[in-house]
Amino acid sequence: MAIQNHIYTRLSGYAGLTALVGLRIYPVVAPESPVYPLVIYTLISPDKPKTSGGTSGNQIAALYQFSCWADTYASARAVADQIIAAFEDYSGTSDSTVIQFSFYESENEMFEPTTKKHFIAIDFMIWYT
């Protein structure tokens, strides 16, 4: 899963984000009893773009969701803004994974009453090989 490694490398190396969450950046699920704020990234839907001759080789368009969890709305918003800054119009190479570009799709603000945590889910379409 080289793309997940690339995503982690990008986020963990983005100073504005790490100033807020440190290295609390997790794929799919946070650890039990986590420290907030934190980021969870999840693959929503991978797809190989289609052409008239079939798929377009090894290029993949994947929708990723970045969930920014925090004790307050302001903290969740600050983390979300750093995710957007890190990935809006981003392109780069990490190991053998090349992100050609990524773009912001949507976001959703929520409050989890059971944990009393705020979170903002941000969706990015990431095109990579």
Side-chain angles (χ1 to χ4, degrees), residues 37-95:
L38 60 83
V39 175
I40 299 170
Y41 58 97
T42 308
L43 175 64
I44 301 299
S45 64
D47 190 24
K48 285 195 171 211
K50 310 295 187 272
T51 66
S52 59
T55 61
S56 62
N58 63 351
Q59 186 179 53
I60 297 172
L63 183 64
Y64 270 87
Q65 186 168 83
F66 299 87
S67 298
C68 309
W69 288 84
D71 293 323
T72 67
Y73 171 79
S75 182
R77 179 77 262 161
V79 172
D81 289 345
Q82 290 302 308
I83 296 286
I84 292 168
F87 271 102
E88 182 72 341
D89 297 323
Y90 170 73
S91 62
T93 302
S94 176
D95 296 325

Side-chain angles (χ1 to χ4, degrees), residues 17 20-22 24-31 34-42 65-81 83 108-122:
L17 179 63
L20 300 172
V21 303
R24 294 184 302 275
I25 303 165
Y26 308 103
V28 186
V29 65
V35 174
Y36 295 91
L38 60 83
V39 175
I40 299 170
Y41 58 97
T42 308
Q65 186 168 83
F66 299 87
S67 298
C68 309
W69 288 84
D71 293 323
T72 67
Y73 171 79
S75 182
R77 179 77 262 161
V79 172
D81 289 345
I83 296 286
N108 191 6
E109 299 177 344
M110 295 168 261
F111 178 76
E112 172 53 54
T114 305
T115 62
K116 301 202 181 315
K117 301 298 178 198
H118 295 263
F119 71 102
I120 299 174
I122 303 167

Side-chain angles (χ1 to χ4, degrees), residues 1-9 64 94-97 128-129:
M1 293 295 185
I3 186 64
Q4 286 85 350
N5 294 338
H6 189 130
I7 289 170
Y8 180 82
T9 298
Y64 270 87
S94 176
D95 296 325
S96 62
T97 303
Y128 70 96
T129 54

